[in-house]
Amino acid sequence: MKNWQHWFFPHKDTHKKAHLLSWEAILIYVLFFILLQVGFSIVGFAKPGVLGINGNIDQKRLIELTNQERQKAGLPPLVENEALDKAAKLKGENMFAENYWAHFAPSGKSPWDFILGSGYKFTYAGENLAKNFYSSDEVVSAWMASQTHKDNLLNNKYKDIGIAVVEGVLNGQKTTLVVQEFGTTEILASTPAVSIQGKQIAVPTRDLINKPELVAGSEARIAPAKSIIDPFIFTKSLGISLTLFIGALLALDLLVLYRRGVLRISSHHIAHMSILSISAASLFTSSPGAIL
């Protein structure tokens, strides 16, 4: 117990940094967060739905925000289409049923399978995806910050829109998926095409002839109304707390050395402050949301 001060204060004689500021300690902090993520994975596998993001996303608000962005760009508003709403809902449910996060399903289902399966006959269509955002504004802001998604959202070829907000369990965690489908029935091309992540993909003739009959996936696990633990908020709060703790220790280290009259800003101080600054910036700007 005599040396407990060495954990928080620089050594009295050697002026060596506090143990909690050593590179060994920093390695332990990193390993702790890695183990925390592994622990979340185990909990998600053992108790699906206990972990997850509790968002508040509204389908009508998403359409309103989308049309606001189009209005800013001088484009006409999109009209909500019942068939595209159905296609978006079926796509979201299928992602939960097959446990994937992508435009194309592991079983081979494509974005146009859901659009055609809903009865919407298009000549040009597109799809944007989002997951685990806390609000409708965050979703549209993320799409607008991505050039390929922005180009899709502001495409002047589209006349109709369909959006679905679907909740379920994905990879063991409660997840909120947003599926945004665009389309037009006007004759714009000889071969119907779908825009996905900045690429225009021609729909194979066989898919136009043999339109799939799609139903909601019965194997999808329904998420609880609200998850017990938000892993993102939990990890972010711990990260911010640890960053503030290390920052306080570093300030204390400089203060003690200054009072001892041996203060010298070394490369170790600069390295610590650089890591601390980068970590703090990453934590405060991080978000659990993702787009495709």
Side-chain angles (χ1 to χ4, degrees):
M1 294 296 295
K2 288 183 178 180
N3 297 324
W4 68 268
Q5 298 97 329
H6 296 164
W7 289 94
F8 302 93
F9 300 95
H11 196 280
K12 183 177 180 180
D13 300 317
T14 64
H15 308 301
K16 184 179 179 181
K17 285 188 178 301
H19 296 330
L20 292 176
L21 284 176
S22 66
W23 291 112
E24 292 83 358
I26 291 176
L27 179 60
I28 292 174
Y29 302 149
V30 172
L31 289 175
F32 170 76
F33 279 97
I34 292 175
L35 290 174
L36 183 63
Q37 297 307 311
V38 172
F40 282 147
S41 298
I42 294 173
V43 171
F45 178 79
K47 298 288 184 180
V50 171
L51 305 175
I53 306 299
N54 296 309
N56 182 23
I57 301 175
D58 181 73
Q59 186 256 11
K60 297 298 182 184
R61 177 63 176 163
L62 288 169
I63 294 176
E64 179 185 345
L65 290 169
T66 296
N67 280 330
Q68 284 179 8
E69 294 297 340
R70 290 177 64 85
Q71 185 179 21
K72 292 176 186 176
L75 297 171
L78 299 171
V79 178
E80 183 176 4
N81 181 278
E82 185 178 348
L84 286 179
D85 281 342
K86 179 183 177 182
K89 185 173 185 292
L90 288 172
K91 174 60 178 286
E93 291 175 344
N94 182 253
M95 281 194 278
F96 285 122
E98 297 189 35
N99 196 45
Y100 71 98
W101 163 243
H103 288 285
F104 293 86
S107 62
K109 295 184 182 70
S110 65
W112 53 85
D113 283 337
F114 298 96
I115 299 174
L116 292 171
S118 70
Y120 187 83
K121 298 179 181 180
F122 67 92
T123 56
Y124 200 76
E127 179 177 88
N128 283 340
L129 302 178
K131 71 171 181 177
N132 283 342
F133 285 91
Y134 290 108
S135 70
S136 304
D137 296 69
E138 287 182 352
V139 174
V140 176
S141 293
W143 280 334
M144 290 299 292
S146 164
Q147 191 61 52
T148 55
H149 293 82
K150 178 181 178 180
D151 290 344
N152 215 14
L153 193 144
L154 300 181
N155 195 317
N156 61 6
K157 294 179 181 177
Y158 301 139
K159 305 298 179 183
D160 304 317
I161 186 173
I163 290 183
V165 180
V166 189
E167 290 187 345
V169 176
L170 190 67
N171 295 321
Q173 294 192 15
K174 176 182 177 292
T175 303
T176 300
L177 296 177
V178 178
V179 182
Q180 184 180 50
E181 304 287 9
F182 303 101
T184 184
T185 56
E186 292 184 3
I187 305 300
L188 298 177
S190 56
T191 302
V194 178
S195 181
I196 302 169
Q197 290 186 294
K199 296 180 180 179
Q200 187 172 321
I201 304 175
V203 178
T205 304
R206 65 177 183 277
D207 291 348
L208 294 171
I209 298 173
N210 302 312
K211 296 178 182 178
E213 294 183 6
L214 300 172
V215 295
S218 59
E219 298 179 2
R221 286 180 288 184
I222 305 302
K226 190 174 183 179
S227 60
I228 298 175
I229 300 174
D230 184 327
F232 173 75
I233 294 296
F234 187 82
T235 304
K236 185 173 183 176
S237 298
L238 277 180
I240 291 175
S241 299
L242 181 59
T243 300
L244 292 174
F245 175 70
I246 294 175
L249 284 178
L250 190 59
L252 186 62
D253 180 85
L254 293 171
L255 177 62
V256 171
L257 292 180
Y258 172 77
R259 288 186 173 180
R260 291 177 184 174
V262 293
L263 176 62
R264 291 191 302 273
I265 302 298
S266 65
S267 58
H268 293 292
H269 285 104
I270 296 174
H272 276 89
M273 287 187 285
S274 298
I275 293 174
L276 205 61
S277 299
I278 294 172
S279 299
S282 299
L283 285 168
F284 282 106
T285 59
S286 62
S287 167
I291 58 176
L292 268 180

